[in-house]
Structures are given as C-alpha cells and as structure tokens.
C-alpha cells in the first residue's frame, strides 16, 4: 500500500512549575502532577475533542510506585480522558518526554494516529536517581562501561577532562547567565503563561498553590558559584551551581497531524522537521547532543547555520559548552536558551524534553524571522537526542527542506 | 465569662494557613486547610479546641493587609462533618450549652466579617457545622466527588445552630431550605449529592475532583476580578416564605406527629430568618441549640445514633469471627415472596450461587420470575450494569429437588410457619447437605430448638430472622438455640455482615424481640378496643411516641392473619400476658385486609369492620390506653432481659429502631420508658442510667 508520511505539528504544551526535591511537591504524587498538566492542556485546547486523542505516551525514568503502573494509561484515567483513549509509558531517562513526542509523532507520520498526548514526569524527591536499579554485573566484570558512567556528575567531570578548554570559570559564567536569563524571562512574564498551577499539600502546613518554579536562584553571583564544593571529585569543576538540580515536575503536549490540526482548528506552534537519537561513550554522555544533532540536521538536509534558536537542556554547563564549542557557537550566543535553562529552572529528568519544546514554541512566536529551531539534550548511559522544528509563524514558510511531504 | 466547654479527648481539627498567589494575577489569598491529622475515614469535626484554633488562624489572617480573599478547604476527600458529638454529650448546664453555640457563631461568623470575600472549597463531605462553616463564607465551590452535603441536625434532634438556620434560607430561599433542614433529615437522613447542592444554590460552582482546588482558586480569582458574577436568587419573603413554612410544618407533623421538638424549633428559626437581623437570628439559634442540647430527646437520639453507628456494627456476644466457615453456595427452601426476596438479596450481596427449591415447578418458576423481574427493575433504574445483571441472573437458579443443596454451605428455609413442616424440611435437608452446612430458619416465632430436635447435627441450626421488606429493613435477629455451636453462630454473623444487615444476637424465645414487643403492644391496644374503646381513640393513643405508623396501620401492613398467628403462638407461650382478641379473629375470618380504608386518600375506619367488631362496655380514654400499652412494654422488656433474650436494653432498642423504625428521639424505647417514669412505676427501676452510655 503506498503511504504518504504526514507532517506533524506541536499543537501546545504546558508544564507544572518545577520543584526542588524535598520542596513544594514533597508530599505530592508524581501521577497527580501529570494529571494536572494534562487537564490544563485539554482545557487550553477546547477545539480538541478528547475522544480524538489516539494515544497518550508518558515518560518517567523510575517507573515504580506513583510513576509506575503504565503511567500513560493510569494518568489518562485519572485525568478523566475517555476510556477509549489508550496509553503507555516511555523511558529514555532524561529524554523521556522528548522520546514521547518523537514516538507519537512517528505514529502520526505513519498514519497510525491523528492526535496524541505526549508527556513526562520525574519526581526525584520521591524517586531518587537510581532507585531500585539492578545493573547487570557484566557491566563491571567485562568493563562494558566505566563505573563513572552511572554517576552523571562524574560524566560531566570527564568532559572537562576531555576538553581542557572547557574550564570551571566558563561553566560558572554560563550557569550565572542561565540564572540571569530565567530571572529576566520571569520578570517579563514569558515563562508563566505555560505553567499549570498545582495545589500541593503539606500534612502540617495544609494546601498551597505552586505557581512558579522553585529552583531558580536569581541571587546567584560568580563569587558564590566559585565557592561551591565539587561533590564529584576533590578539586573538581562540577558543582550544584553549574548543574541542574534534583527536581520534581511534569510536562504534557499535544502533537497532531498537520491536516488534522487544520481540520479541528488547533493551534500549530511548531512543525516537526526531523529528529535523531545517537549513542556515545557512556562515561561522557554529555556530548550526546553533538552526534544526535548531526544526524538530525543531515536527515533534514540542513546545516547548523540554518538553526535560528537553540533549546539545549542544561544538565551540566560543561555539556552545553561542549556542544557550543563543537559547532563554533559562542558561550553567550543569544540564539541559545534565550530564556535560560535547566541550571536555573530545574531538570525533572523525563519531563524536560517537552519543557524545551514549550520554550522553543513560545520563542518561535516572538521570533518570526527564525525558520528552524533545535531542541536537544544529553541522556544517561551515553546518548543524545535532537529534534529540529520549523516555525509556522516564519514569514516565508514553505515545505521544509528534507521533510518527507 | 463563658462556661468551660473543653473536653479531654477532642480530636482537634487544625486550621493551618498558607498564602498563595491567585491565578490570573488576582492577588494574594489566604488558604486555610481543615485537617485533624487522620486519614479520610476519621472525618474532620469541630470541637472547642478546633474552633479556638480557627479563631487564632483568622486573627493571623485579619492582621494582614495584603490579602484579597480568604479561602478554606479540607484535608483530602473530607471537608468537615461538623460538631463533634462528644462535645454535646459532655454538656451538663445551660451555660455550657449556650457557650458552644456562641463559640461556633463567633468563630465561624468571622468568615463573613473579615473585610475580604471568603471562599469555601467544599472538597469532600460537608455536614452540619461543616456545611455551616461553608455557609458563613461569601462563596462556595463544591467538588463533584464530595461524598455528601447535609444539615442533618434535625435528624439527630438538633437544629443547624452555627448559622445554618438563618443563612441557608436567605441564600437559597425558604422552600429549598425546608428541604435541606427538615425534609431530608426526616427522610432517613437523606443527603445532598454535589450536583443537587449546586442546583439548590448551596454551592455557587462545581468542579471535578482531579484539580478541584486549582479550579476553585481560579474561579475565586475570576470572581474577584469580576470575570464571573455569581447570581443569587431574589428571596421572596412573603407568600413563598409562608408556603415554605406550611410545607415544613406538614413534613414535621407527618414524620414526628409533634412528638420531636427539633423540627419545630427549626421551623421557628426559619420563620425568624425571614426578617430578623443576623445577630438576633444567631442569638435565637444559640438558645434553641442549648434547649435541645440538654433535652431528653437529644440524649435519647444520641444514644440511638450510637447504637446504630457502633453497637449495630459490633454485635455483642458473638463468637470469634475466625470460627466462621466460608459460604460459597446458598440454598433457599421455598420460592414464595419472602424466599424470592432472600434469593435476590443473597445473590446480590454474597455474589455466590443461590438455589431455590419448592414443592412444584410452578412455584419455583414464579419465584425465579420474581427475582428476574427485580433484577430487570434494578437494571432499568441504572442500579445494575448489564454485566452485573447477567451475573446475578446466572447466580439464581431453582428446582424441585433438594438434592441440589448437596454443595451448599448455608441453607435457609422460608416455608410456612408450622413447626412440623419445618422439622420435615430440615430432616430432608440433612439427608443431602454436608455435616457442616448451616441450616438457618427465617421463622418469626417458632422454637429453633424444637425445629432442630430430631436432627443428627442440631448444632448447625440457627435462627436468621429478616424483616419485611427484606431489602429495606436493616435488622436481622440471629437466634442461638440451646445446641447451636459457635462455628454456626459465627458463620451466621459473618453472612449477616456480608448481607449488610445489622444483626442482634437473641435467645431462642418466642417471637424473639421485635415481634414479641409489637405483638404485646398491639394486644393491649386491641384489648382496649375489645373492651369498648373506639378504634380511632385506641389507635391514636400512642401518638406521643411518634411511631412511624399507628398500631392498626401496622396491623394492616403485616396482615391480620399473620399477626393473628403470632398472637396465638405468644398466647400459647405466655397466656397471662398475650391475649387473642376476638375482634382480631373476626377480622381474619372476614378476610379483611385491616380496619382502615382510604377513600380519596383519607384514612377512615372501614364501616364493615366497625359493624363486625363487638365492643365491651368499659371504654378507656386515650391516656389510659397509652399508659397501659407503655406499662405492658416496660413489663415485657424487663421479663425479656431477666430471661436473657438479649444481653442488654441497648439490644432491645437497637431492634426497635432498626426492625420497627421506632424513633431516635425515643431512643428506640427504653430511654422513653425511663424518662416517662414508666420503667420505675412498673418495674421499680430504670432500664438505663440517667446518662446512658450506648456502647457499654
């Protein structure tokens, strides 16, 4: 049967405010965070009849307890979706939500779905990284991976080793700019429109309402950053200040076939151009975005110079700098994370991919001169993921180069 | 100063506050959470310490100048179920009683006078003082998942005395207020579903539970910004108010016959709410609450409430539940109306195969047809899904062969009330069933021991006496015969629990508890008629008890023939106290359904019955009939207790409340007999101490 791949659009995305592990969501369930995000997403998009949703993919890294039990299905039921909407869970660690988007988008392109919900959650307070893992003893016995590969902070130190020009000073300066950009974006009211307020309860203090991200530290200074200890190595370079923290949060997005979005009158915030995932040595997992982006660009027949906006996940400042150096982009290039990133906002692992997309979508609307944008992130055990998006607001948009349509 | 109303074991509902930024830039609000620190099965309640805590929270809130609203909600799944009844039990002086009303009014009333709008987010059950907490607020949202909303005070013998009697009619109008404050509580304490609360205007908006607090805060922001305008009905204070009062009075009369003070005090307050100021209305609520709180009717009511809530769930004298044998197949001997009702109930509640037998195929088919018809009705009303209905239909089978009971664990007979017939049934069963299969009888008056006498295993026979209609009446008298063993009894109680019935353990004595007392009582009223008292006078004499129906209406419901049969059995057992009325016999011989007819819906004595009855020449006054009937009850209960028919007067009262629908405000019956002085006059002593502790 001849088949035509369909164009896929990012219709809309929302997220809960991100919390610090042990902070405002300490007594809030992870599945409840997903439910709040999905319900608000649907409320914001009344043109989408819920029964038109063909699947719901929700990512989490630690899929046990309130992040287990096939979250995509349970959260759908808890959110009040029609019982006819199926769901499933996804795990690609930090790129869980990104993978939820690319996987459902692929289903759409193939013609299996018209509309899907993709989401991600990580409650690192309730589920610390590595909870319940049981690595195969062969990893160590056969030296399949360096023992450092399982400790993300050590993989970041390893990048500093590999690229001596990526100094702690550059990493701290980058981290400070992230805090400053987030503070400015908040002051300008750019972050808030896509946040879902969450009623979070504390047994002693009662109900509260989370309306803003908890991690940002606008008071950050270079001196302060320089004084922080380096927990992964004596006299190391990676600190709590130049890395993302341990966070709680959930994200959700609607992806749809472009023709179906048109039929239903859905917004089209971004058009999917290409995506790619790539593997690297696990002990330097942070450079994953470099080959992933190469692959995604090649598949779209684009060059790095075609990308007008970058949303790169800031798991560690050094890993962002490695990407920028590779592609010859300045540390403070205004196209990169213009509203700041995970160092300030937080990185609830499997939820972050959609946070990048939400921010890129909002930036697209403001930067109509930009045609292509990139969301990219590094992934534990040595991977990277990249998704290239086209700006539907771009003034001279035609069919994107390299798309299958 | 106010009297001390604190009590030692108050489970304090705390009211911590947090300050939140409302959505839509509407400003900063205080968000108070009511939380007693326990899981949802232990509801939030208000006692003096809890109210003082809220007062302190409101002090803190009032001291701030950066707030645009104050919001209040509950712990997960639970708003508040109102005043802690323990607080009422500890009251002993009028000062204390007034003080608790004033404290509630003062603290909850602050929610209306903080200077900023207040919002109650009713996220779960809100009853009594809990709902009044919300009513004192400016606005209310309700979760569509909230279990129930109600002002059940009148049901208990109180009035909504923390503002409800004034605030509710002025919010939703007098007619709807009569529904909530009088009609529902007096209809077996019916409650509002969230949607009904919204429709009546008790709540201004309803949101789904998944993000109820978030949506409520957003709604509050919209109200504060003026995006949402809350429409409230114009209250008609003239004709509609008159009509509502008339309707309320009719409801109170119909349900309590003027014998319970609470509904009438509630009506007075509703009338006052038409024109009084808030302050005056609240002061009147304080006085009404105090009067009622110290009334014997309330003491009786709280006693009965405890019986139903606690003793009914933990029956006294029951062997260890671990002895109970599993029941996975049920047999029913008989396929008449009673048997068919039992078949449906067992199948619905136990969800195990139920097999009915009768003498011929026609009767079996008729019984099965009844069950299928009832399942159909339940399905039609949406009470059963198609799958559940199929499951039930498949569970109930019938035949004419008792061999089908071979694998039954529990067989109950509901055949004709004749000892020889029942002995025969049990003898046949014993040939078929296992040695441990429980044989139960639904007899209402026959001796269980005699029924079991000739069996190889008499220890597995137990009385299991239901009340009609089986699906509705809550009581089950479980009868331990002389040789019934613990495992059988434990199994019977376990089955009762699965059937969701409240079982009371009774001794194998004629007619057990409910029928014995009703028969004795009816015998006195009938005897008065036999002696020449007009039917209407004798039948109305018991009105001060406020029974759900008069003795002769009850006779008509039971059926004169059935009642006569029991009367004869009782006469045989206790000839000096139980008589067989010649008029009653004439009624049965004439085939009359009862003494009354209802042409055009108005009750009157059937002229044919009046002609049939032969009266003596020494009529009694109504007072004399009452005195005589009460004395007979007191005497009979004393004799039953002395004989060990039940363990305590509490069991008698529980039986009369659940098996005969006798009112809470009589406490069943012994609190009434005590307070009326009948117990002491007849027996020389009260049944219960002055302040009865229901549980022990």
């Amino acid at each position: 049967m001849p088949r035509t791949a369909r164009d896929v659009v990012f219709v809309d995305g929302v997220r809960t405010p991100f919390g610090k592990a042990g902070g405002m969501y300490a007594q809030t369930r992870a599945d409840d965070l997903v439910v709040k995000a999905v319900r608000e997403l649907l409320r914001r998009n009344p043109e989408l009849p819920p029964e038109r949703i063909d699947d719901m993919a929700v990512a989490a890294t630690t899929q046990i307890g309130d992040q287990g039990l096939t979250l995509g299905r349970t959260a759908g039921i808890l959110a009040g979706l029609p019982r006819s909407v199926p769901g499933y869970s996804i795990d690609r660690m930090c790129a869980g939500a990104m993978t939820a988007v690319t996987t459902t988008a692929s289903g759409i392109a193939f013609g299996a779905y018209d509309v899907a919900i993709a989401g991600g959650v990580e409650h690192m307070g309730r589920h610390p990284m590595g909870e319940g893992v049981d690595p195969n003893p062969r990893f160590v016995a056969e030296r399949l991976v360096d023992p450092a590969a399982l400790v993300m902070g050590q993989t970041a130190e390893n990048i500093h080793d590999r690229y001596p020009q990526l100094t702690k000073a550059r990493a701290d300066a980058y981290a400070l700019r992230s805090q400053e950009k987030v503070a400015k974006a908040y002051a300008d009211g750019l972050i808030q429109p896509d946040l879902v307020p969450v009623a979070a309860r504390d047994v002693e203090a009662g109900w509260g309402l989370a309306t803003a991200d908890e991690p940002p530290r606008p008071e950050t200074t270079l001196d302060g950053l320089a004084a922080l200890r380096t927990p992964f190595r004596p006299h190391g370079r990676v600190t709590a200040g130049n890395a993302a923290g341990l966070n709680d949060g959930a994200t959700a997005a609607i992806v749809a076939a472009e023709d179906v979005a048109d039929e239903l009158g859905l917004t089209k915030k971004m058009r999917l151009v290409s995506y790619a995932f790539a593997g690297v040595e696990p002990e330097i997992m942070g450079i994953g975005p470099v080959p992933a982006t190469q692959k995604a660009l090649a598949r779209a027949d684009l060059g790095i110079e075609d990308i007008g906006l970058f949303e790169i996940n800031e798991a560690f400042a050094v890993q962002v700098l490695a990407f920028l150096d590779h592609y010859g982009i300045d540390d403070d290039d205004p196209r990169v994370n213009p509203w700041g990133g995970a160092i300030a906002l937080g990185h609830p692992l499997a939820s972050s991919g959609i946070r990048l997309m939400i921010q890129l979508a909002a930036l697209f609307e403001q930067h109509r001169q930009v045609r292509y944008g990139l969301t990219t992130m590094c992934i534990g055990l040595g991977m990277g993921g990249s998704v290239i998006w086209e700006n539907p607001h771009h003034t001279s948009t035609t069919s994107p180069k390299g798309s299958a349509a | 100063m106010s009297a001390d109303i604190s009590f030692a074991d108050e489970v304090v509902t705390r009211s911590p506050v947090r300050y939140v930024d409302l959505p839509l830039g509407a400003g900063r609000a205080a968000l108070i959470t009511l939380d007693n620190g326990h899981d949802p099965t232990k509801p939030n309640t208000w006692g003096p310490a809890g109210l003082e805590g809220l007062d302190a929270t409101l002090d803190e809130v009032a001291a701030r100048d950066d707030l645009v609203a104050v919001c209040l909600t509950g712990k997960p799944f639970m708003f508040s179920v109102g005043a802690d009844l323990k607080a009422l039990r500890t009251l002993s002086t009028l000062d204390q009683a007034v003080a608790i009303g004033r404290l509630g009014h003062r603290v909850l009333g602050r929610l209306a006078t903080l200077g900023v709008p207040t919002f109650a987010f009713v996220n779960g059950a809100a009853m009594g003082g809990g709902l009044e907490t919300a009513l004192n607020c400016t606005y209310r949202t309700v979760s569509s998942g909230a279990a129930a909303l109600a002002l059940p005070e009148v049901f208990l013998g109180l009035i909504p005395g923390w503002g409800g009697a004034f605030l509710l009619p002025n919010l939703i109008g007098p007619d709807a207020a009569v529904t909530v404050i009088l009609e529902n509580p007096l209809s077996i304490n019916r409650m509002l579903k969230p949607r009904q609360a919204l429709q009546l205007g008790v709540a201004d908006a309803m949101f789904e539970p998944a993000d109820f607090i978030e949506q409520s805060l957003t709604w509050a922001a919209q109200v504060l910004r003026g995006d949402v305008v809350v429409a409230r009905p114009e209250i008609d204070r003239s004709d509609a108010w008159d009509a509502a009062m008339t309707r309320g009075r009719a409801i109170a009369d119909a349900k309590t016959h003027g014998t319970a003070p609470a509904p009438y005090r509630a009506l007075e307050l509703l009338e006052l709410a038409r024109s009084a100021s808030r302050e005056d209305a609240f002061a009147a609520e304080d006085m009404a609450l105090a009067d009622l709180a110290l009334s014997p009717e309330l003491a009786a009511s709280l006693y009965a409430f405890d019986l139903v809530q606690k003793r009914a769930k933990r029956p006294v004298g029951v062997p260890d539940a671990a002895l109970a044998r599993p029941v996975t197949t049920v047999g029913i001997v008989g396929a008449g109306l009673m048997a068919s009702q039992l078949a449906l109930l067992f199948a619905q509640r136990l969800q195990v195969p139920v097999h009915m037998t009768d003498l011929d195929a026609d009767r079996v088919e008729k019984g099965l047809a009844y069950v299928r018809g009832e399942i159909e009705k339940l399905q039609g009303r949406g009470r059963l899904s198609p799958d559940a209905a199929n499951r039930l239909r498949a569970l109930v089978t019938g035949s004419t062969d008792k061999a089908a009971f071979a694998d039954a664990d529990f067989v109950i007979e509901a055949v004709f009330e004749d000892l020889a017939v029942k002995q025969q049934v049990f003898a046949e069963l014993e040939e078929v069933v296992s040695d441990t299969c429980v044989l139960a009888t639904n007899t209402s008056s026959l001796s269980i021991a005699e029924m079991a006498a000739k069996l190889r295993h008499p220890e597995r026979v137990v009385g299991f006496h239901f009340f009609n209609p089986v699906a509705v009446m809550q009581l089950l008298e479980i009868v331990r015969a002389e040789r019934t063993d613990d495992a059988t009894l434990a199994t019977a109680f376990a089955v009762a629990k699965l059937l969701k019935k409240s079982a009371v353990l009774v001794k194998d004595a004629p007619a057990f508890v409910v029928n014995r007392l009703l028969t004795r009582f009816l015998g006195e009223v009938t005897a008065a008629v036999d002696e020449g008292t007009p039917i209407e006078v004798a039948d109305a004499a018991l009105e001060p008890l406020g029974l759900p129906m008069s003795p002769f209406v009850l006779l008509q419901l039971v059926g004169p023939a059935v009642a006569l049969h029991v009367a004869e059995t009782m006469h045989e057992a206790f000839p000096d106290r139980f008589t067989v009325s010649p008029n009653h016999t004439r009624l049965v011989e004439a085939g009359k359904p009862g003494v009354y007819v209802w042409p055009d819906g108005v009750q009157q004595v059937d002229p044919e019955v009046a002609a049939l009855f032969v009266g003596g020449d020494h009529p009694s006054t109504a007072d004399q009939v009452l005195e005589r009937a009460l004395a007979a009850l007191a005497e009979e209960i004393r004799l039953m207790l002395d004989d060990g028919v039940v363990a305590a007067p509490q069991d008698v009262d529980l039986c009369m409340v659940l098996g005969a629908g006798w009112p809470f405000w009589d406490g069943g019956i012994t609190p009434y007999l005590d307070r009326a002085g009948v117990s002491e006059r007849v027996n020389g002593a009260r049944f219960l101490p002055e302040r009865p502790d229901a549980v022990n």
Side-chain angles (χ1 to χ4, degrees):
Chain A
M1 169 177 103
R3 200 189 288 278
T4 308
R6 297 191 291 178
D7 275 328
V8 179
V9 292
F10 181 93
V11 172
D12 193 15
V14 297
R15 67 177 177 94
T16 69
F18 288 168
K20 292 182 188 173
M24 63 190 187
Y25 298 136
Q27 297 174 30
T28 302
R29 292 176 59 100
D31 48 7
D32 281 338
L33 292 177
V34 178
V35 166
K36 314 277 180 187
V38 168
R39 286 174 65 86
E40 182 62 18
L41 183 66
L42 295 181
R43 253 193 303 270
R44 270 166 52 135
N45 292 278
E47 305 82 7
L48 173 62
E51 61 275 12
R52 288 296 300 269
I53 300 165
D54 290 306
D55 216 339
M56 173 157 153
V58 177
T61 303
T62 304
Q63 297 195 358
I64 56 180
D66 54 340
Q67 295 187 165
L69 202 64
T70 310
L71 205 43
R73 178 58 173 166
T74 50
I77 293 173
L78 289 167
L81 292 185
R83 297 296 159 101
S84 56
V85 178
Y88 62 110
S89 292
I90 282 195
D91 173 20
R92 201 202 291 270
M93 290 174 276
C94 302
M98 177 178 275
T99 305
V101 168
T102 56
T103 303
T104 51
S106 302
I108 291 167
F110 178 78
Y113 307 146
D114 286 342
V115 183
I117 290 182
V121 64
E122 205 74 46
H123 198 305
M124 299 175 73
R126 291 173 69 96
H127 303 288
M129 247 192 289
E131 181 190 14
V133 298
D134 177 18
N136 193 306
R138 288 187 51 225
F139 277 117
V140 176
E142 300 173 23
R143 296 198 167 90
L144 292 178
V145 297
D146 185 302
L150 291 175
V151 181
M152 294 305 128
Q154 293 187 10
T155 69
E157 291 283 3
N158 291 345
I159 296 180
H160 277 290
D161 294 341
R162 180 163 296 194
Y163 303 110
Q165 77 275 19
L166 303 182
T167 60
K168 180 170 189 294
R170 275 179 73 184
D172 283 349
Y174 181 89
L176 177 63
R177 274 194 301 280
S178 183
Q179 296 284 1
E180 289 168 348
K181 285 188 283 188
V182 165
K184 179 162 193 320
Y186 253 104
D188 293 345
L190 300 171
I191 304 284
Q192 296 90 327
D194 295 320
L195 296 184
V196 178
V198 174
R201 176 171 172 258
D202 176 274
V203 167
E204 286 303 311
W207 290 101
L209 188 69
T211 53
D213 295 305
E214 199 178 22
R217 295 174 173 274
E219 71 283 5
T220 303
T221 62
L222 273 184
D223 286 348
L225 288 171
L228 291 173
R229 51 185 288 269
T230 59
F232 301 103
R233 268 185 203 179
H235 308 288
R237 288 138 299 191
V238 179
T239 69
N242 59 30
L246 303 176
N247 306 106
D248 314 325
T251 57
I254 299 169
V255 284
E258 182 158 17
D259 56 341
V260 177
D262 290 337
E263 172 210 328
L264 295 172
L266 304 178
T267 56
K268 297 188 287 183
K269 292 191 167 180
M270 303 197 287
R271 184 180 293 112
L272 180 64
V273 178
S274 69
Y275 71 85
F277 293 91
V280 297
E281 286 302 316
E283 55 270 24
I284 49 158
M285 68 91 204
I287 63 159
V290 171
T293 300
Q294 271 165 353
K295 273 169 84 174
L297 286 169
R299 282 166 200 276
D301 196 16
L302 293 173
I304 196 74
E305 66 285 357
D306 293 313
I307 303 299
L309 286 164
F310 295 82
E311 278 295 329
I312 179 166
N313 193 46
E314 299 167 350
F316 300 95
V318 66
Q319 145 262 318
V320 177
L321 295 173
F323 177 89
L324 297 180
D325 262 20
H326 176 86
Y327 286 108
I329 301 167
D330 290 345
D331 292 6
D332 58 355
D333 190 298
R335 296 172 300 165
V336 178
N337 294 359
W339 297 348
I343 287 171
L345 290 170
H347 174 30
L349 307 182
S351 73
S352 287
I354 289 177
R355 203 264 308 154
L356 300 176
M357 295 170 196
I358 290 168
Q359 256 167 254
L360 182 62
L363 284 160
F364 269 174
E365 199 171 352
Q366 286 200 345
H367 297 269
R368 287 165 189 258
Q369 81 286 2
V370 170
R371 183 161 177 194
Y372 297 110
L374 173 73
T375 51
T376 185
M377 59 203 310
C378 59
I379 308 166
L381 290 181
M383 293 184 283
S386 293
V387 186
I388 297 174
W389 300 93
E390 184 181 26
N391 185 357
H393 309 292
H394 182 253
T395 39
S396 64
T397 296
T398 53
S399 181
K401 276 196 286 182
S403 92
Chain B
M1 274 320 292
S2 69
D4 180 20
I5 49 174
S6 63
F7 64 103
D9 50 351
E10 176 177 346
V11 177
V12 179
T13 293
R14 297 168 54 247
S15 27
V17 61
R18 288 166 79 178
Y19 300 95
V20 301
D21 291 322
L22 290 169
L24 310 172
R28 176 156 281 226
L31 179 55
I32 298 170
T33 304
L34 308 180
D35 191 344
N36 67 355
H38 292 268
D39 68 47
T41 59
K42 193 148 194 185
N44 290 333
T45 53
W46 283 131
L51 287 168
E52 299 286 2
L54 177 61
D55 199 29
T57 297
L58 294 178
D59 283 343
E60 179 192 320
V61 166
R64 292 176 69 116
D65 59 3
D66 63 338
L67 301 177
V68 296
V70 174
C71 311
L72 199 109
T73 191
K75 67 178 181 178
F77 313 108
M78 164 57 55
F79 190 73
S80 167
V81 299
D84 186 332
L85 294 180
K86 283 201 292 289
L88 292 171
R89 289 209 179 82
T90 57
L91 298 177
S92 56
T93 68
L94 189 67
D95 280 356
Q96 287 178 321
V98 171
I100 201 156
R102 283 195 183 141
L103 177 63
H105 273 130
R106 184 178 66 74
V107 176
L108 301 181
R110 292 187 72 183
L111 293 167
T113 55
L114 284 172
V116 293
T118 51
F119 295 79
F121 303 149
V122 180
N123 62 315
M127 294 174 202
L131 184 54
E132 288 174 299
T133 305
L135 288 171
N136 275 283
C137 292
T138 323
Y139 303 101
R140 282 149 298 281
T141 65
V142 64
S143 163
S144 59
L149 290 83
L151 292 175
E153 285 88 346
V154 168
F155 165 77
L156 278 178
L158 292 166
I159 46 92
W162 284 344
F166 171 76
L167 296 169
L168 191 67
N170 283 299
L171 177 70
I172 66 173
D175 189 66
V178 162
T179 300
V180 177
I181 291 174
L182 281 171
E183 188 177 16
N184 288 352
L186 292 175
S187 305
I188 330 174
N189 203 19
R190 190 192 293 158
M191 312 219 169
L192 299 177
K193 292 277 160 217
R195 179 161 300 284
Q196 294 170 311
L198 179 71
Q199 282 160 351
L200 286 179
V202 177
D204 299 307
M206 182 167 78
F207 301 106
E208 292 175 356
D211 43 17
F212 172 72
I213 292 174
E214 292 89 341
Q215 290 306 297
S216 291
L217 286 165
T218 300
W219 183 83
Q222 289 168 329
V223 170
L224 292 165
R225 285 160 46 103
D227 304 340
V228 165
V229 177
V230 176
R232 294 272 168 76
E234 186 79 21
I235 306 295
D236 178 346
R237 294 176 188 283
S238 59
D239 293 354
W241 206 290
D242 292 339
M245 296 305 298
T246 305
R247 189 172 81 90
R249 193 151 285 115
I251 291 164
D253 289 346
K255 300 285 186 180
T256 76
H257 318 282
T259 61
Y264 299 93
R265 292 302 289 266
L267 281 166
E268 287 171 23
L269 293 171
L270 283 172
E271 179 54 47
L272 192 65
R274 185 192 320 227
S275 53
S277 69
R278 196 177 113 108
E279 290 66 32
D280 290 350
F282 281 11
E285 286 179 6
D286 288 338
M287 290 318 296
L289 189 67
D291 287 347
L292 291 169
L294 297 174
S295 70
E297 287 87 354
L298 182 78
S301 199
L302 293 177
Y303 160 85
F305 186 68
D306 255 6
L307 291 180
V308 170
Q309 292 288 309
K310 295 178 182 158
R311 197 177 182 95
K313 295 184 173 113
R314 285 193 293 278
V316 176
V318 181
D320 186 353
L323 295 173
R325 289 189 287 260
V327 173
T328 58
T329 311
V330 171
I332 294 173
V333 184
L337 180 60
M338 186 56 151
S340 303
Q341 289 185 59
L342 293 180
L344 179 63
L345 182 75
F346 276 90
Q348 269 185 296
R349 299 278 160 80
L350 267 61
Q351 301 274 322
V352 301
V354 177
H355 191 78
M356 279 196 286
T357 62
D358 211 321
L359 296 175
D360 61 66
D362 280 356
R363 287 189 209 186
V364 172
E365 185 41 47
K366 207 173 153 207
L368 290 174
Y370 170 85
V371 172
R372 285 194 294 264
E374 291 298 306
I375 294 171
E376 198 81 20
K377 277 189 223 164
L378 289 168
Q379 194 181 345
R381 287 202 297 267
R383 302 270 301 276
L384 278 179
S385 71
D387 290 353
N390 284 343
R391 177 175 180 177
L392 270 189
R393 274 189 280 266
L395 285 176
V396 183
T397 53
S399 73
T400 55
D401 185 1
K402 292 193 184 65
F405 295 142
D407 67 342
D409 309 301
F410 186 101
V411 180
I412 182 166
E413 69 76 23
V415 300
F416 184 67
E417 281 285 276
D418 180 283
L419 185 62
V421 172
K422 290 184 192 261
Q423 284 175 331
Q424 174 69 25
V425 164
F426 277 176
E428 286 170 27
L429 284 172
E430 198 158 56
E431 295 306 314
V432 179
V433 300
S434 72
D435 286 352
T436 55
C437 173
V438 172
L439 298 182
T441 169
N442 186 38
T443 185
S444 57
S445 57
L446 299 175
S447 160
I448 315 293
E450 284 181 49
M451 233 178 270
K454 295 174 188 162
L455 297 179
R456 286 195 297 276
H457 293 289
E459 72 281 358
R460 47 108 142 251
V461 176
V462 66
F464 211 69
H465 182 222
F466 287 92
F467 291 80
N468 213 348
V470 167
V472 179
M473 298 306 289
Q474 197 51 43
L475 183 66
L476 193 58
E477 291 172 336
I478 292 187
V479 189
R480 172 171 217 161
E482 219 176 332
R483 300 174 69 177
T484 309
D485 68 11
D486 281 355
T488 300
L489 204 58
T491 307
F493 274 92
V495 169
K497 195 170 184 180
L498 288 172
L499 292 171
K500 296 184 186 162
K501 296 295 179 194
S502 301
V504 175
L505 178 63
V506 305
K507 188 180 147 178
D508 188 14
F512 318 123
V513 177
V514 175
N515 282 345
R516 178 165 172 176
L517 288 179
L518 289 178
T519 303
R520 179 79 204 270
F521 171 79
L522 183 62
E524 299 298 329
V525 177
T526 318
V529 172
D530 292 345
E531 291 158 10
T533 312
I535 290 175
E536 296 91 330
V537 173
D539 200 29
L542 283 306
E543 275 177 2
L545 279 173
L547 303 183
M549 59 189 85
S550 72
F552 284 127
V553 173
L554 176 66
L555 175 70
Q556 201 136 1
L557 184 84
V558 173
V562 171
L564 184 64
H565 188 261
V566 179
E568 286 166 353
T569 307
M570 296 309 290
H571 176 67
E572 213 171 290
F574 308 115
D576 52 331
R577 302 195 308 282
F578 288 80
T579 53
V580 177
S581 156
N583 280 324
H584 189 170
T585 310
R586 281 187 202 100
L587 196 65
V588 174
E589 281 165 359
K592 283 282 174 191
V595 304
Y596 291 122
V597 285
W598 285 267
D600 311 319
V602 181
Q603 177 176 309
Q604 63 176 63
V605 174
D606 183 344
E608 292 177 29
V609 170
L612 204 63
F613 271 31
V614 178
D617 54 6
H618 47 288
S620 303
T621 64
D623 283 348
Q624 288 166 332
V625 176
L626 175 66
E627 195 183 328
R628 163 185 192 166
L630 293 176
L633 281 174
E635 180 191 35
E636 201 62 33
I637 294 168
R638 188 69 262 162
L639 289 168
M640 288 162 68
L641 292 170
D642 291 346
D643 187 34
V645 174
V646 287
Q650 283 86 348
D651 289 322
V652 174
D653 292 320
L654 186 56
C655 285
M656 298 318 283
V657 167
L658 295 178
W662 285 18
F664 269 34
W665 58 91
D666 293 345
I669 188 62
T670 67
Y672 181 92
L673 294 172
D674 283 352
R675 78 177 182 238
V678 180
S679 314
E680 289 208 52
R681 196 164 60 243
V682 175
N683 301 320
R686 301 168 60 92
F687 286 106
L688 300 164
E690 285 278 353
R691 279 179 160 265
D693 181 341
V695 185
N696 300 309

